[in-house]
Amino acid sequence: MDRRRMLTLGGLAAGGVAVLSSAVSVNAAFGGKDRTAARHAQGDAHGEPHGDRADAPKVAAAPPVAPFSVAMPVPPVLRPTHVGATSDLYQLPVRAATVEILPGLATPIVGYHGQFVGPTIRARKGRAVALQVTNQLTNPTNVHLHGGFTPAVHDGHPMDFIAPGATRSYAYPNLQHAATLWYHDHSHHAEAEHIYRGLHGFYLIEDDAEKALGLPSGQYDIPILLRDALIGVDGSLVFDPADGGNRPHILANGKPQPYLRVTARRYRFRLLNGSLHRIFRLRLDRGQLIQIGSDGGLLPAPVAVSEIKLTPGERVEVVVDFAGQPAGTRVVLEDTSGPVVGFDVTGPATDPSRVPDRLIPLPALPAATVTRDIALSFDPSKLAFTVNGKTYDATRVDAQVVNGTTEIWRVTNRDTAFGIDHNFHLHLVQFRLLDRDGVPPAPGEAGWKDTVHVPPGSTVRVQATFSGFTGKYAFHCHFPEHSSLGMMAQFEVVNRTA
């Protein structure tokens, strides 16, 4: 059984009625225009999708767009509707819309504010954000602040839904230091499709320590959401859980292999992998990538890197200095599969920014009192993805953590038979990667992280301190179709008993 067939069977076994109800309602949100969602809704009385039926209609992929023929947009910054003494209020509707991703094609999506990449929220450390989300879809949704230190009730738990027509308020205290976070749907069984169809956006926390460093800022600080998609000749976003993985159209901020005009100076790029499966391996065709940050904030020192690997959900921050490039030069950010973004240098510019030798120091790690073993695997007998041999059950607590304690989690990918990549995402906390198969992390992975790659057969050890909030939180693989199909579990932070 090959990897594609295994993924298909995993979807057939674990999808269930919930997946189908999501597919039907997402299709309804598009007014019945998405033939792929409709195809997955054609099941029997038990709700089994027929995604691999030989007679199921297929949507042909739209031809590729010539690289660098479309401009890359920068997601707009969301403005608060109310500014208080210590907090800001934002309104964020979730609605269906039609946008142009490939030139000349209308694509139905679901998006925050109806945008394929949602608006960027720029928050400040110590200043709270109240986010009012109104669900204008015909199916449930929710919002998870990925990487956020948030109370459990505001974390966007996979079973905590916003009903159609309802409004839900999330409160984010923003007590953590400056970091590139992102927000996305996390409603169980629907998260993969909802993210795929556009429910993702940046959430940037800023603070005075970061500002004092003099890094590129303002219009020279640009978030870029990287992902792939399969877009049909009719413009539809084709979502097929049985397609085995990578989709052919590479998008940056929702546009295919676009260009961005830059001046000959330093830029800060915040890179996010918003794909379901694709692992990006990024490099410049000329010039140098200087990594300054990872998931949870700035590194202790900048690191010159020749390649950056990003699995779904991971973020890195890099500085690229175009000062040595003459006007008319194109510098290409490329993946192993081809070009991703072309940076077109237009001319000289003054540049007061800098990249200091020292960024944000890392604190010493406290002693850990507990070590846990986490195994990620596909179970052929259950035709499901599992954590420690179990599929997700929201009524089960898989780990109980005492508030204020530090733990080491040893995470192993046991999917060697099919060579399936996974990664590991822990809600609530940022962790430090201790080692990968006993080898200390490279400098680019030595900072704060919340998502880490776990290749087949490998083991990573991460250490985190769970302090401040109690309640139930998720941990899972952040290949969203894997977590949708069972590779998710739950921990509960409790206060120490006397």
Side-chain angles (χ1 to χ4, degrees):
M1 183 170 62
D2 63 19
R3 181 173 180 271
R4 177 185 174 92
R5 179 61 178 160
M6 182 279 300
L7 287 169
T8 303
L9 292 176
L12 289 173
V17 175
V19 168
L20 289 178
S21 63
S22 170
V24 172
S25 53
V26 168
N27 186 47
F30 299 141
K33 295 180 181 179
D34 192 308
R35 298 200 298 268
T36 302
R39 172 163 59 87
H40 280 275
Q42 292 173 353
D44 58 23
H46 300 289
E48 182 181 71
H50 292 161
D52 66 340
R53 280 172 38 174
D55 61 345
K58 298 289 185 180
V59 178
V65 176
F68 320 128
S69 59
V70 179
M72 187 189 79
V74 176
V77 174
L78 186 63
R79 301 302 178 189
T81 55
H82 176 75
V83 177
T86 60
S87 63
D88 300 312
L89 173 65
Y90 293 86
Q91 308 279 348
L92 194 69
V94 183
R95 61 173 179 257
T98 300
V99 302
E100 183 179 273
I101 299 175
L102 302 186
L105 290 178
T107 298
I109 60 118
V110 290
Y112 299 110
H113 270 282
Q115 298 168 200
F116 188 62
V117 178
T120 297
I121 297 174
R122 285 188 175 266
R124 286 199 61 80
K125 180 181 179 180
R127 186 172 181 83
V129 161
L131 186 67
Q132 287 189 343
V133 181
T134 300
N135 182 8
Q136 298 178 8
L137 305 177
T138 58
N139 53 297
T141 184
N142 70 6
V143 175
H144 168 57
L145 179 57
H146 183 125
F149 178 61
T150 58
V153 69
H154 299 294
D155 185 57
H157 188 279
M159 303 305 293
D160 188 5
F161 303 112
I162 307 172
T167 297
R168 165 69 192 269
S169 293
Y170 296 91
Y172 303 138
N174 299 321
L175 300 177
Q176 62 209 91
H177 50 253
T180 299
L181 311 183
W182 65 301
Y183 61 96
H184 61 81
D185 179 274
H186 211 313
S187 50
H188 189 41
H189 287 310
E191 65 263 44
E193 184 165 3
H194 282 173
I195 291 171
Y196 184 75
R197 296 193 183 281
L199 290 182
H200 42 41
F202 283 95
Y203 187 102
L204 311 180
I205 299 180
E206 302 167 338
D207 64 20
D208 291 339
E210 175 195 59
K211 184 178 180 181
L213 294 172
L215 296 166
S217 59
Q219 64 180 310
Y220 307 105
D221 175 5
I222 300 177
I224 304 178
L225 190 151
L226 304 175
R227 55 162 293 177
D228 57 4
L230 173 56
I231 300 173
V233 290
D234 59 354
S236 62
L237 260 175
V238 181
F239 176 78
D240 187 347
D243 69 1
N246 296 338
R247 281 80 177 183
H249 298 106
I250 304 297
L251 309 176
N253 284 346
K255 295 296 183 180
Q257 299 169 301
Y259 67 86
L260 177 70
R261 292 193 174 97
V262 297
T263 54
R265 55 153 293 158
R266 296 182 192 90
Y267 282 73
R268 177 182 183 175
F269 298 116
R270 303 171 187 254
L271 305 176
L272 157 66
N273 185 347
S275 302
L276 300 187
H277 286 283
R278 182 178 293 273
I279 299 174
F280 284 100
R281 290 175 172 85
L282 303 169
R283 61 174 60 239
L284 291 178
D285 71 337
R286 66 182 74 197
Q288 193 173 46
L289 289 167
I290 304 297
Q291 185 180 349
I292 60 170
S294 54
D295 300 334
L298 296 178
L299 298 173
V303 182
V305 293
S306 59
E307 180 180 277
I308 288 175
K309 181 170 63 178
L310 274 185
T311 64
E314 287 188 289
R315 289 89 66 208
V316 298
E317 299 186 30
V318 298
V319 171
V320 178
D321 191 352
F322 300 104
Q325 306 295 342
T329 302
R330 172 172 289 154
V331 178
V332 179
L333 179 68
E334 54 190 15
D335 178 50
T336 52
S337 63
V340 176
V341 181
F343 300 110
D344 292 345
V345 181
T346 60
T350 57
D351 187 3
S353 72
R354 64 193 186 103
V355 179
D357 293 337
R358 293 285 176 259
L359 298 172
I360 301 297
L362 289 173
L365 290 172
T369 56
V370 174
T371 297
R372 300 185 189 274
D373 284 299
I374 308 296
L376 308 177
S377 62
F378 174 73
D379 186 340
S381 68
K382 298 178 181 178
L383 294 178
F385 291 104
T386 68
V387 176
N388 287 346
K390 300 176 181 178
T391 55
Y392 178 62
D393 182 347
T395 67
R396 185 185 68 234
V397 173
D398 300 276
Q400 195 171 77
V401 179
V402 175
N403 190 14
T405 61
T406 299
E407 297 194 354
I408 293 173
W409 290 34
R410 189 163 47 207
V411 185
T412 300
N413 179 347
R414 300 196 182 282
D415 279 328
T416 55
F418 303 108
I420 307 170
D421 280 285
H422 298 301
N423 63 17
F424 178 71
H425 173 51
L426 192 56
H427 285 215
L428 175 64
V429 294
Q430 293 289 330
F431 54 71
R432 298 266 288 278
L433 176 60
L434 300 179
D435 53 59
R436 186 186 297 279
D437 295 324
V439 178
E445 282 195 309
W448 294 111
K449 288 187 64 61
D450 53 57
T451 308
V452 63
H453 185 207
V454 192
S458 69
T459 297
V460 302
R461 292 194 312 139
V462 302
Q463 179 168 324
T465 298
F466 300 79
S467 181
F469 296 123
T470 59
K472 296 177 181 178
Y473 295 87
F475 62 94
H476 55 90
C477 175
H478 212 284
F479 287 65
E481 287 172 319
H482 297 180
S483 59
S484 291
L485 301 178
M487 192 171 276
M488 183 160 57
Q490 185 168 236
F491 70 97
E492 183 177 18
V493 182
V494 299
N495 288 321
R496 191 187 303 272
T497 57

